[in-house]
Amino acid sequence: MKSGIGASACTPQPQLPALSFRVQLSSTRRGARLARLLVVQQLDDWGIPRDGRTSSTMAAIAAEFAANAVTHGRTPGRDFALRLALMPESVRIEVTDTRPDRLPPAPGRLPELPCPVAESGRGLLLVEALADRWGAEPQGPCTKMAWAEVDRTPSHR
């Protein structure tokens, strides 16, 4: 069963990653596009096939988190950070931006589907459907982090 936890003392502390990757990217459309490409490349470097379910799931989540960082979390002149961690049982993505005052709704509390002709409003619904766990939380007075984990089950590699 999927579950998510927003900002609270119950936020799971990730296991120490077996491998991790971190990069700062410009808060532009190009930076958001690069985030998705880097996730797929890094997972491939770690032996997770580009055409596999884990890679495509993490690419979709990366695309949404990066687009949100650029659209809703942008402060002019400040970058966003992407971190990917490969753990024994899961893959974790974290995207940190510079707008802690703009937290998304908590998992399980997302609004209903937007109007069919709306141009936005579906991204976090996608994250909720794809991730095994996800959330967002302030990381101090100047940043917030959106995170998601996908379990590495045999059917999700």
Side-chain angles (χ1 to χ4, degrees):
M1 183 164 120
K2 294 182 186 239
S3 67
I5 299 173
S8 75
C10 297
T11 300
Q13 296 301 312
Q15 313 162 7
L16 291 176
L19 298 168
S20 67
F21 168 81
R22 186 176 187 287
V23 64
Q24 293 282 125
L25 297 164
S26 65
S27 291
T28 62
R29 282 200 218 148
R30 178 178 279 173
R33 190 170 46 251
L34 185 56
R36 181 183 55 79
L37 296 171
L38 287 170
V39 164
V40 171
Q41 179 62 51
Q42 188 59 57
L43 290 173
D44 188 56
D45 289 351
W46 289 339
I48 296 175
R50 291 173 181 268
D51 60 350
R53 188 171 173 201
T54 297
S55 186
S56 61
T57 297
M58 293 307 287
I61 292 170
E64 176 54 28
F65 281 172
N68 281 351
V70 168
T71 305
H72 306 294
R74 183 172 187 268
T75 300
R78 302 272 314 271
D79 297 338
F80 72 93
L82 166 72
R83 180 175 177 266
L84 194 61
L86 179 64
M87 296 176 285
E89 302 297 322
S90 63
V91 178
R92 180 178 172 103
I93 186 169
E94 299 172 354
V95 172
T96 303
D97 68 41
T98 58
R99 292 297 304 266
D101 57 319
R102 289 189 163 180
L103 283 174
R109 300 183 139 224
L110 295 174
E112 293 183 23
L113 285 173
C115 170
V117 295
E119 294 182 13
S120 63
R122 295 172 184 82
L124 290 177
L125 293 169
L126 177 71
V127 171
E128 184 146 311
L130 294 175
D132 290 298
R133 291 162 299 284
W134 75 279
E137 56 207 47
Q139 293 289 291
C142 299
T143 61
K144 77 168 173 291
M145 176 183 60
W147 60 270
E149 293 179 357
V150 173
D151 292 336
R152 297 179 62 207
T153 61
S155 65
H156 209 262
R157 291 186 191 258

